[in-house]
Amino acid sequence: MAYSEKQKEYTMKYLEKLKEIRFRVKPEEYQMYEKAAKEAGYPSMRQFYMDALAEKTEKILN
């Protein structure tokens, strides 16, 4: 299925509502995080990162 201009418009409108967080890590750090995420049963690295950020934020703010 081809990506239509209307789909592109909807995607761009959705992305305007979001902020992006980007960071870089050394390859060995990434491997460590990836291993931890897999062992914890996370379906994706994104979810692992989001949960880690939420956990740390909760500890700081509460």
Side-chain angles (χ1 to χ4, degrees):
M1 180 189 261
Y3 190 66
S4 72
E5 285 299 316
K6 201 64 168 170
Q7 287 172 315
K8 180 180 176 181
E9 181 183 324
Y10 290 142
T11 300
M12 296 306 290
K13 190 172 183 175
Y14 170 74
L15 291 175
E16 287 175 0
K17 298 176 185 179
L18 301 175
K19 293 283 188 181
E20 186 174 4
I21 299 173
R22 296 176 66 172
F23 59 96
R24 299 183 188 277
V25 297
K26 295 177 183 174
E28 59 273 11
E29 291 174 323
Y30 181 83
Q31 290 172 344
M32 179 181 63
Y33 300 147
E34 186 175 42
K35 182 180 179 186
K38 284 181 183 178
E39 288 184 15
Y42 279 90
S44 68
M45 289 298 292
R46 180 191 181 280
Q47 190 60 54
F48 179 72
Y49 297 146
M50 296 301 293
D51 284 358
L53 287 167
E55 184 179 313
K56 187 71 170 183
T57 301
E58 186 177 321
K59 284 181 183 179
I60 292 169
L61 297 178
N62 290 324

